Amino acid sequence: MEPLMAIAIGIAYATAIYMMLRRSIVKLVIGILLISNAANLLVFTAAGLKRGAPPLIPEGASAPIGDVADPLPQALVLTAIVIAFGVLTFSVVLIRRAYLIVKADDLDQMKDTDT
Amino acid sequence: MSYEVALPILVPLFAGALSLLCWRSRWMQRVIAVAGTGALLAISIWLLMTVNREGYVIMQMGDWKAPFGISLVADLLGAIMVVLTGIIGFAVALYSLAVTGRGHENFGYYPLMHLLLAGVAGAFLTGDIFNLYVWFEVMLLASFALLTLGGERAQMEGAIKYVTLNLLSSVIFLTAVGLLYGMVGTLNMADIAYKLSLVEETAMIDVLAMMFMVSFGIKAGAFPLFFWLPASYHTPPVAVSALFAGLLTKVGVYALFRVFTLIFNQSPGYTHEILLWGAGLTMLSGVLGAAAHFEFRRILSFHIVSQIGYMIMGLALFTPLAVAGGVFYILHHIIVKTNLFLVSGIVNRLKGTYDLKKLGGVYKEHPWLSFLFLIPALSLAGVPPLSGFLAKLVIIRASIEAERYGITFVALLVGLLTLYSMTKIWAEVFWKAPPELGEGEKAPKVPPLARHQRWLLMLPATGLAACTVLIGIYGQLIYDLSVASAAQLLDPQAYIQAVLGVQP
Amino acid sequence: MVKPGTLILNVAAGLLMPLQLMFALFLLLRGHDEPGGGFIAGLVGAGAFALYQFAHGPAATRRLLHVDTRDLIGWGLFLAILSALPGWALGEPFLTAQFWKVPVIDVKVSTPLVFDIGVFLVVLGSVLTAVITLTELDQAEAERKERREEGRDKTWNR
């Protein structure tokens, strides 16, 4: 399972970087969305995959029984998803407003502040 | 239980929540802004005193024991940085009372400012690497919103670059954290440091070190990753750029200091050599960029970059004296740079422009303001007896002792070029006669300044200038503090022991 | 521009929204011992209001909410921070979980629940702020365009 995930994550990163290198701002935001999801998957995979063993404590016990999945990466990914969600909301609002002002979906026309 | 280590995070968060609840009343928001940042300053000084007396101050949040829960750890460096956060927050809050317009206030300027301060303080105090990521993001989200406050075209353009590159940096950071967790199975920085010292295969560690370096390098604005900084820092309202200039890049520098002294100290010959080259090039490219510009805030933005180089140089040389110099430099730089931005804002408020070519004659009209510019400017360039001179002296001396003469030369040269830039601003803005208006040109209109506004503008700048002079005069005190903090940084074993309790 | 209201959407929104809100509440309370919690409950709740907005428009949604979305964020943040404090009063670290039993109805109340309610409000408030603002921005833009086109029509007629 891990090699498959690794390949999938690699493809996601590559696609995201390709998207971020385009001139269109919409594609830039899609790239940002994709790369943060790729990073989440990577955190999840790097910590080890385990199927069908949720880290839940059965009734009456004080610790999970047997070999269970590590709950920490799941918590990390959840936090990272929340953050990515917030950032994405912000970037969508940002490009919407930028579009209203600049009237172009093209990063090459946004060079006024460059040096 | 020492609560002062968590309060610098909770107080701004609390003030932010209160401020958000009172968004209908400008008056209440202003009171909360001043009271909240003032309380932050007081608590941070209390924290620094405790840390100075007792060594590490640690709190396990939610009573979950380390390394399983999130630990808040204040060592000397962290505590010093929090005090600086308090000083800058308080100064900028006072200053904002005079310059922030009704539109910005309604859009949530003050709550965002508190949130930003909470994020910065959290980043300085956390002992957990994922928690560091979270505080980075809190800080970034607040800064995104502050950066676009007002929504002018230049701000939008600057914001898109700022957002993209900083998000990329966060993603690299998150990726590195994920891989690190895959390797050692823990997130507590002390525990990571201990477990990594047991790992035998160092190639992977170097890869991770490089990922952290790139990620924090983007945040700190180091060469060749700084391009977002001069493209965006001159666009937002001036109080916001002063806050950013003082604190945000320094969080990146702090993270570099923390990670490369505590966690990645195995092969300094490799990682710290790269840092040293980066530092030299950062200094040069920043100062040369500044030389080419004639806009007040753009020049200052480029100087942030060049000064970051000195701090990283202190870390890269990796001797006790050099690290102490780096800490000293951060301390001096935060105050001076914020002050310069505040002064540029006052000039803009009086004259209606940031363009050096259109400014002039300020010295004649406002001698006190010119004096306020001169102190931080000369300090930035390293003129004795101001704070910048001592900071530069320590670092350059460390580089000579380490026999890295190349970097010594670069540091001296950059100091000279900084003086050139500052003289340029001085001559153009304060010294020369106001330029003749051309055909059809009109002087920009500025609303008259009320007396209390004048006070609110001048007071923070004067206070920060006084800090600069005091650091120069009581240099020994600050130097001792930096040396003690460097000693702590270079003794990761003590940090590990303090956080984890007994040696595992 | 989002046009408020087709018949099917209006009826469906009226039926679905109470269910969604109840599910959000269920998730919020269930997060106490089992999978669930403030964040996911906030998202489901925001989904309910977003659906209502698609059916009836942003103005109606604001009326339905009664409170400003920014107030929701403020109260949520306030509650979340408040939940960190009881530990302080008892001499334990911040955020240490405290549990109390309400005697008569036998319900457990705890600081994590207060924290979750805070998170719920923050998520609900921020998502709705973003969604409603974006829709309103869009509507204003569309109205401007319409006016412009109307103006052009008149000049044509003349």
Side-chain angles (χ1 to χ4, degrees):
Chain A
M1 194 65 190
E2 266 100 349
L4 204 65
M5 285 299 284
I7 292 168
I9 293 164
I11 292 172
Y13 266 98
T15 321
I17 289 166
Y18 176 73
M19 290 301 248
M20 288 175 86
L21 292 175
R22 317 247 50 201
R23 271 165 55 183
S24 155
I25 312 173
V26 176
K27 286 181 183 150
L28 176 73
V29 170
I30 295 174
I32 290 173
L33 168 70
L34 210 62
I35 205 170
S36 30
N37 283 326
N40 290 343
L41 273 179
L42 183 127
V43 172
F44 202 60
T45 314
L49 294 173
K50 189 158 282 165
R51 285 179 66 186
L56 293 178
I57 303 171
E59 199 106 5
S62 64
I65 296 164
D67 202 14
V68 294
D70 186 356
L72 197 57
Q74 303 177 14
L76 301 189
V77 169
L78 182 62
T79 316
I81 288 174
V82 173
I83 291 170
F85 168 77
V87 169
L88 188 74
T89 321
F90 178 82
S91 353
V92 169
V93 176
L94 177 70
I95 63 163
R96 181 86 185 97
R97 286 177 61 191
Y99 179 73
L100 287 181
I101 292 171
V102 184
K103 303 261 187 252
D105 179 26
D106 186 356
L107 279 172
D108 268 10
Q109 298 193 16
M110 297 196 162
K111 291 196 291 201
D112 289 2
T113 64
D114 278 357
T115 41
Chain B
M1 197 59 66
S2 30
Y3 292 95
E4 58 267 38
V5 58
L7 283 175
I9 305 171
L10 280 177
V11 164
L13 272 180
F14 194 70
L18 274 185
S19 192
L20 203 59
L21 283 176
C22 307
W23 63 271
R24 286 179 189 82
S25 151
R26 295 177 75 193
W27 188 78
M28 277 298 286
Q29 285 201 346
R30 291 162 163 233
V31 171
I32 294 168
V34 175
T37 49
L40 175 63
L41 179 57
I43 290 164
S44 61
I45 291 171
W46 175 28
L47 173 66
L48 181 60
M49 281 160 67
T50 318
V51 173
N52 203 16
R53 199 173 54 237
E54 296 173 4
Y56 297 95
V57 177
I58 292 155
M59 178 183 264
Q60 314 290 357
M61 295 306 275
D63 214 6
W64 298 98
K65 299 282 172 281
F68 304 110
I70 291 171
S71 324
L72 293 184
V73 184
D75 65 348
L76 266 176
L77 177 63
I80 292 172
M81 299 301 279
V82 174
V83 171
L84 290 167
T85 311
I87 295 174
I88 301 306
F90 190 55
V92 171
L94 278 181
Y95 189 87
S96 328
L97 300 184
V99 290
T100 313
R102 184 182 288 271
H104 294 170
E105 281 177 345
N106 285 345
F107 198 74
Y109 172 78
Y110 290 118
L112 287 169
M113 184 188 81
H114 290 299
L115 196 62
L116 185 77
L117 289 175
V120 171
F124 290 149
L125 290 177
T126 185
D128 184 283
I129 199 133
F130 189 77
N131 201 231
L132 183 65
Y133 166 77
V134 173
W135 288 123
F136 265 2
E137 294 299 301
V138 168
M139 194 175 87
L140 279 180
L141 269 179
S143 69
F144 292 166
L146 280 173
L147 193 65
T148 52
L149 213 60
E152 284 164 24
R153 179 177 174 143
Q155 282 180 299
M156 290 301 156
E157 296 186 5
I160 284 183
K161 288 153 203 164
Y162 180 91
V163 168
T164 311
L165 277 170
N166 276 291
L167 278 182
L168 196 62
S169 141
S170 299
V171 168
I172 297 172
F173 186 11
L174 183 61
T175 309
V177 169
L179 293 174
L180 193 59
Y181 184 79
M183 265 176 84
V184 293
T186 177
L187 291 167
N188 187 301
M189 286 202 263
D191 204 24
I192 291 173
Y194 170 68
K195 291 206 169 123
L196 268 191
S197 63
L198 303 181
V199 172
E200 286 178 3
E201 192 195 354
T202 54
M204 190 64 194
I205 299 181
D206 284 342
V207 171
L208 284 176
M210 286 313 293
M211 290 184 80
F212 277 105
M213 197 190 288
V214 170
S215 160
F216 295 148
I218 294 178
K219 304 237 185 236
F223 181 87
L225 310 161
F226 63 82
F227 292 99
W228 57 271
L229 195 153
S232 62
Y233 267 29
H234 63 279
T235 57
V238 67
V240 174
S241 25
L243 202 58
F244 284 14
L247 294 175
L248 291 196
T249 48
K250 260 56 80 184
V251 179
V253 176
Y254 165 83
L256 279 174
F257 266 73
R258 175 66 70 220
V259 168
F260 281 92
T261 54
L262 180 64
I263 300 176
F264 300 115
N265 49 12
Q266 288 91 352
S267 49
Y270 176 65
T271 48
H272 290 66
E273 188 67 28
I274 297 175
L275 277 175
L276 193 66
W277 278 90
L281 291 168
T282 308
M283 283 191 255
L284 271 178
S285 51
V287 86
L288 291 177
H293 273 283
F294 277 91
E295 209 253 24
F296 210 144
R297 282 201 285 177
R298 285 196 190 205
I299 297 177
L300 295 181
S301 306
F302 267 108
H303 274 295
I304 299 178
V305 176
S306 86
Q307 306 288 314
I308 293 290
Y310 283 98
M311 302 166 204
I312 299 178
M313 172 181 157
L315 171 65
L317 289 169
F318 212 52
T319 61
L321 188 66
V323 175
V327 176
F328 200 136
Y329 211 99
I330 297 177
L331 218 156
H332 131 81
H333 174 80
I334 290 182
I335 290 172
V336 163
K337 186 51 84 181
T338 309
N339 200 1
L340 283 171
F341 267 90
L342 294 184
V343 171
S344 81
I346 302 177
V347 170
N348 176 54
R349 181 69 182 73
L350 293 168
K351 293 286 176 186
T353 178
Y354 287 107
D355 192 345
L356 254 49
K357 308 235 160 153
K358 290 182 188 156
L359 284 163
V362 177
Y363 177 71
K364 216 169 193 176
E365 294 168 35
H366 309 278
W368 179 243
L369 179 63
S370 319
F371 186 59
L372 281 184
F373 171 77
L374 207 56
I375 292 175
L378 292 181
S379 175
L380 193 75
V383 173
L386 298 162
S387 60
F389 169 69
L390 294 172
K392 280 203 171 72
L393 183 70
V394 178
I395 285 197
I396 286 173
R397 177 146 179 222
S399 72
I400 293 175
E401 277 179 16
E403 296 181 349
R404 307 300 301 251
Y405 300 115
I407 198 84
T408 316
F409 175 72
V410 171
L412 288 171
L413 180 72
V414 169
L416 210 62
L417 287 169
T418 310
L419 193 60
Y420 160 71
S421 266
M422 291 300 125
T423 328
K424 182 169 80 182
I425 298 181
W426 173 256
E428 294 277 335
V429 177
F430 297 94
W431 207 244
K432 78 168 187 220
E436 303 278 320
L437 291 174
E439 199 91 353
E441 269 185 281
K442 261 190 266 173
K445 273 209 186 89
V446 276
L449 205 58
R451 178 190 273 278
H452 72 279
Q453 278 182 323
R454 181 178 297 267
W455 271 101
L456 285 174
L457 288 176
M458 289 296 184
L459 206 63
T462 314
L464 291 179
C467 282
T468 314
V469 175
L470 284 178
I471 293 176
I473 295 173
Y474 293 100
Q476 186 65 38
L477 201 73
I478 308 289
Y479 176 72
D480 289 344
L481 202 63
S482 317
V483 169
S485 135
Q488 271 189 350
L489 283 174
L490 292 176
D491 184 14
Q493 228 51 46
Y495 183 94
I496 295 171
Q497 218 148 17
V499 175
L500 297 181
V502 284
Q503 190 67 36
Chain C
M1 174 186 167
V2 182
K3 285 203 184 84
T6 63
L7 182 63
I8 298 174
L9 189 60
N10 279 357
V11 174
L15 289 173
L16 281 176
M17 200 184 147
L19 279 179
Q20 275 178 299
L21 285 180
M22 260 159 65
F23 185 53
L25 202 65
F26 168 71
L27 280 176
L28 174 64
L29 296 176
R30 190 179 118 105
H32 203 57
D33 295 320
E34 278 173 275
F39 178 72
I40 196 70
L43 281 186
V44 173
F49 284 105
L51 182 67
Y52 187 83
Q53 189 211 245
F54 286 138
H56 300 279
T61 317
R62 283 198 191 278
R63 270 199 305 280
L64 183 73
L65 272 170
H66 287 293
V67 287
D68 194 282
T69 47
R70 276 179 284 184
D71 279 338
L72 286 179
I73 306 177
W75 279 112
L77 204 54
F78 187 73
L79 276 180
I81 297 163
L82 219 59
S83 76
L85 300 183
W88 189 6
L90 299 172
E92 288 163 359
F94 286 112
L95 282 171
T96 306
Q98 311 291 335
F99 292 88
W100 301 282
K101 239 184 188 143
V102 180
V104 184
I105 44 175
D106 199 33
V107 177
K108 264 199 285 183
V109 184
S110 63
T111 53
L113 183 65
V114 177
F115 186 82
D116 258 352
I117 295 173
V119 173
F120 171 73
L121 290 177
V122 171
V123 173
L124 191 66
S126 38
V127 174
L128 285 179
T129 311
V131 170
I132 294 180
T133 324
L134 269 178
T135 324
E136 281 175 345
L137 205 75
D138 230 33
Q139 257 176 1
E141 177 74 358
E143 268 166 28
R144 252 204 310 280
K145 211 182 211 168
E146 225 163 71
R147 260 202 304 274
R148 259 204 315 274
E149 266 157 23
E150 262 170 32
R152 203 175 297 143
D153 283 351
K154 271 177 204 149
T155 51
W156 267 97
N157 288 342
R158 231 181 283 146

